[in-house]
Amino acid sequence: GAVVSQHPSRVICKSGTSVKIECRSLDFQATTMFWYRQFPKQSLMLMATSNEGSKATYEQGVEKDKFLINHASLTLSTLTVTSAHPEDSSFYICSALIDLPSGNTIYFGEGSWLTVV
Amino acid sequence: AQSVTQLDSQVPVFEEAPVELRCNYSSSVSVYLFWYVQYPNQGLQLLLKYLSGSTLVKSINGFEAEFNKSQTSFHLRKPSVHISDTAEYFCAVSGQGAQKLVFGQGTRLTINP
């Protein structure tokens, strides 16, 4: 079964509005989650690292005021795309870091398709 | 800094034929290596990973990859592919701690009947 769940799987919003995507870790706590963006037929690009209880760490070139990340609990991280524009349309994927005795393991969510019209 | 290069953007093969998806990486530190599979309109699923120990790692569905430090490679192989293996395959690398992943460009594997 799914270890990391994203919601919504698909969302369409009007240009200028904000949209929130949730990433939940199921049955385990994740102090660290990651948000990626994937353009069609391209690879995943890390946007930011989300740390529970502290500010997210953004990768170079990612606008922190546009892509708001909140990791308010050990099982939930949210990505809010503010004042969305058509160029923000993309596939957004989160992942969660699980600390296992055998080592760190990363599980990915199912992804969320964002279309800005 | 780490980087990953997947040399082939597309690999078409016939069903039941063998396949190799190439992955080369560069890193100034010890690395952990991963292969992820992405089926159409879905997220990523971990296929296999190398953290330490045996350089040959295997998945439950017949894929295997070998970590070659001297050639800085982690090629993915399967001796006989099935239609259901059609997907995008991503090679990824991370540094110690296996946290932040750097992905390759992806290889689209297409299986023809």
Side-chain angles (χ1 to χ4, degrees):
Chain A
V3 181
V4 176
S5 177
Q6 278 184 245
H7 177 80
S9 58
R10 291 181 179 272
V11 59
I12 301 173
C13 71
K14 291 185 177 180
S15 185
T17 63
S18 296
V19 61
K20 180 185 290 186
I21 301 171
E22 295 184 344
C23 179
R24 291 183 183 276
S25 58
L26 308 177
D27 299 326
F28 68 92
Q29 296 178 338
T31 56
T32 304
M33 291 184 175
F34 304 90
W35 285 96
Y36 292 84
R37 183 175 182 177
Q38 184 182 28
F39 290 104
K41 298 184 179 180
Q42 294 188 29
S43 189
L44 284 77
M45 300 299 295
L46 179 64
M47 299 174 65
T49 302
S50 171
N51 302 295
E52 188 271 334
S54 64
K55 292 182 178 180
T57 304
Y58 289 81
E59 295 299 303
Q60 191 172 13
V62 178
E63 299 176 61
K64 59 182 66 177
D65 293 331
K66 181 169 184 63
F67 298 100
L68 301 178
I69 292 173
N70 187 322
H71 197 151
S73 77
L74 288 171
T75 59
L76 174 64
S77 175
T78 60
L79 168 68
T80 301
V81 183
T82 64
S83 187
H85 291 284
E87 57 265 30
D88 298 325
S89 298
S90 186
F91 191 52
Y92 293 87
I93 307 177
C94 72
S95 66
L97 179 68
I98 309 172
D99 189 9
L100 299 175
S102 58
N104 289 338
T105 300
I106 295 176
Y107 288 95
F108 282 82
E110 310 96 327
S112 299
W113 282 103
L114 170 63
T115 302
V116 184
V117 298
Chain B
Q2 292 124 6
S3 68
V4 177
T5 301
Q6 291 181 244
L7 298 169
D8 306 298
S9 59
Q10 296 187 59
V11 174
V13 296
F14 288 106
E15 193 172 16
E16 298 184 4
V19 69
E20 177 180 81
L21 307 183
R22 296 180 291 172
C23 172
N24 288 88
Y25 69 93
S26 67
S27 176
S28 57
V29 298
S30 297
V31 297
Y32 298 150
L33 292 156
F34 306 81
W35 275 100
Y36 283 87
V37 57
Q38 184 179 34
Y39 297 103
N41 299 317
Q42 295 186 28
L44 273 69
Q45 299 175 31
L46 179 64
L47 193 57
L48 45 76
K49 61 183 177 182
Y50 169 78
L51 302 181
S52 64
S54 173
T55 56
L56 182 65
V57 290
K58 299 183 178 183
S59 71
I60 59 174
N61 56 355
F63 283 95
E64 63 179 36
E66 186 160 20
F67 170 55
N68 189 320
K69 189 175 182 179
S70 63
Q71 297 186 6
T72 60
S73 67
F74 191 56
H75 300 331
L76 181 69
R77 302 182 181 94
K78 187 170 185 178
S80 177
V81 295
H82 300 284
I83 292 285
S84 58
D85 293 325
T86 297
E88 189 89 18
Y89 291 81
F90 291 95
C91 181
V93 63
S94 74
Q96 194 171 18
Q99 296 197 17
K100 287 173 60 172
L101 294 173
V102 175
F103 285 87
Q105 301 90 327
T107 298
R108 181 171 297 277
L109 177 62
T110 304
I111 311 300
N112 299 308

